[in-house]
Amino acid sequence: MINVKNLQKNFGGVEVLKGINTEIDKGDVICVIGPSGSGKSTFLRCLNMLEKPSGGQIIFEGDDLTDKKIDLDLHRQKMGMVFQQFNLFPHMTVMKNLTVAPMMLKKVPEADAKAKALELLGKVGLADRADAYPNQLSGGQKQRVSIVRALCMEPDVMLFDEPTSALDPEMVGEVLDVMKKLAAAGMTMVVVTHEMGFAREVANRVLFLEDGVILEEGTPDEIFNHPQNERLQSFLAKVL
Amino acid sequence: MTLSSLFLAAGGPFAAWFAKLHETFIVNDRYKLLIEGFRNTIILTLGALAIGLVIGTIVAVIKYLAEDAPSLRWAAFLCDVYLTVIRGVPMVVQLLIFYYIIFSHAKDGIPVAIVAFGVNSGAYMAELIRSGINAVDSGQMEAGRSLGMNRLQTMRVIILPQAIRYILPAIFNELIALLKETSIAGYVAEIDLTRAGNLIRNNTYDAINTLFLVALVYLTMVIILEQILKKLERRLRKGDKR
């Protein structure tokens, strides 16, 4: 579904990604782990071109997203994204947050968009908060809404950028539960995370990024129980 | 027997003043000039405000988008020239240029003045609106883009509605400044409130009553605007707390 070829990214002369190659297939749940500053978030943000790669290619469903002539907006509709800081629209109710994009971009009739939003809100346990404004919600609720906002566009893949890092500890679980359900339902997911428990339990493949390259990748069992690379071993020793 | 002599005959502490007011504003229907001036001041201010907001929004959005869209660099450069020229030349001079050079053949002067004040105000609005756009968290643009909206759609639906909240007080400041600035319309022979008052002063030699009345009308309008702003701000704050 997504084919990453020799992806590079420089920020003003600093090489953040130094040639990343990987393939993400339909139904994959891929967790990206690594120390801070390793380029995990940059890697994820390159996948939907929020960061413009300095080199290499992102092939998404057969189209090269780094091609200047491509209609990025159309492809982004199929790639949902969840941010560390939620980035809900504070001037809109939860319902409006969920329906604005489908109605504007996919011309979904308002009644249908609302019905869909309510159904998804129900699945994350927030059906009663449709008329609330984002700043009336707790962090965990905000993040669940932002997951639903992405899902309302019916994406083919969901990108999560440290979705639980800005949450109080007691709210991490409710967000991870939603993500687990999503994975169980067969959604293709790429998750940048520090939640090793989640990676171990839910991922079918784990990428260990350090210093702008994938140092090791494999199943959770391979990564967590039989790490080969010395730096992965020392990283796991610190975080587990 | 005239009305003013009636006031005088009636006596009392304000009799002389009432007689004077009558003499100045009522005789020869001179108050009608003031009403016309007041009307023109309102038209000039609201017209210029509308033009200023439109120009200001367009310029601010172009400059914002040009930050990472090379194709817009020329447009952004033109915007910069516009900002520099407008802010570098006195409003009176701009008004004279609009009148005697750009629209020298115009029959009606009021629309010309509206455009001149609007083009001027647009430059100040542009910088205000740009500061409002920059005050909105950059994650908002990213969230809009990640859903598949283009930059303009995100700007219109996500960024600008939030930016307005930040800059509403500054917009009202600009509106108040604009209202008072239209008092130079008399330079090009338009009858605004100031010029109407001054014409009456010239005819009646009654400087005190004419000028104080004009001043009082401006002051009242500004106070009303301030009250409207306070109400609007209270309403926006309520929206934040909900």
Side-chain angles (χ1 to χ4, degrees), chain A residues 13-169:
Chain A
V14 182
E15 278 189 294
V16 180
L17 299 178
K18 301 172 181 168
I20 298 220
N21 294 285
T22 193
E23 204 158 322
I24 297 156
D25 295 323
K26 193 166 170 24
D28 268 352
V29 177
I30 295 182
C31 282
V32 184
I33 62 170
S36 60
S38 58
K40 311 183 293 287
S41 282
T42 307
F43 164 68
L44 190 79
R45 289 158 58 80
C46 281
L47 292 183
N48 69 350
M49 299 288 287
L50 277 187
E51 301 288 356
K52 302 273 178 287
S54 316
Q57 291 174 306
I58 313 274
I59 315 290
F60 175 59
E61 297 179 341
D63 297 316
D64 182 1
L65 299 186
T66 58
D67 184 345
K68 283 203 168 65
K69 287 186 205 108
I70 205 149
D71 187 348
L72 259 186
D73 299 321
L74 217 55
H75 287 83
R76 283 196 180 121
Q77 292 181 20
K78 292 182 253 168
M79 309 173 98
M81 187 161 196
V82 175
F83 299 87
Q84 183 177 352
Q85 298 295 339
F86 328 126
N87 294 347
L88 291 175
F89 307 132
H91 60 302
M92 298 177 176
T93 61
V94 166
M95 182 52 80
K96 194 91 184 77
N97 265 278
L98 304 183
T99 54
V100 61
M103 284 169 59
M104 179 195 279
L105 303 172
K106 298 173 93 175
K107 310 292 175 211
V108 179
E110 185 171 3
D112 297 1
K114 281 187 167 172
K116 168 111 188 148
L118 265 182
E119 181 205 327
L120 289 170
L121 273 181
K123 284 190 180 163
V124 303
L126 291 172
D128 55 332
R129 305 313 307 270
D131 297 323
Y133 281 82
N135 54 15
Q136 293 171 276
L137 305 177
S138 71
Q141 291 174 328
K142 282 183 199 168
Q143 196 60 299
R144 283 184 276 160
V145 169
S146 91
I147 291 172
V148 172
R149 178 175 68 179
L151 289 176
C152 278
M153 287 298 286
E154 301 181 324
D156 295 339
V157 56
M158 287 281 285
L159 311 175
F160 294 84
D161 187 5
E162 304 197 21
T164 57
S165 296
L167 297 176
D168 292 337

Side-chain angles (χ1 to χ4, degrees), chain B residues 14-65:
Chain B
F14 297 111
W17 187 44
F18 284 146
K20 183 76 180 163
L21 285 181
H22 179 263
E23 180 81 33
T24 304
F25 296 117
I26 308 298
V27 171
N28 289 340
D29 285 346
R30 280 194 277 263
Y31 68 92
K32 284 186 178 161
L33 197 63
L34 276 176
I35 291 172
E36 186 194 345
F38 176 73
R39 205 196 58 203
N40 281 341
T41 289
I42 300 276
I43 291 172
L44 284 175
T45 305
L46 293 183
L49 175 72
I51 293 176
L53 279 173
V54 171
I55 293 180
T57 307
I58 292 172
V59 169
V61 169
I62 287 176
K63 285 192 68 172
Y64 176 84
L65 295 182

Side-chain angles (χ1 to χ4, degrees), chain B residues 179-197:
Chain B
L179 168 68
K180 291 178 293 182
E181 200 156 49
T182 58
S183 63
I184 60 172
Y187 261 92
V188 287
E190 294 309 327
I191 310 281
D192 74 313
L193 179 60
T194 303
R195 179 129 193 278

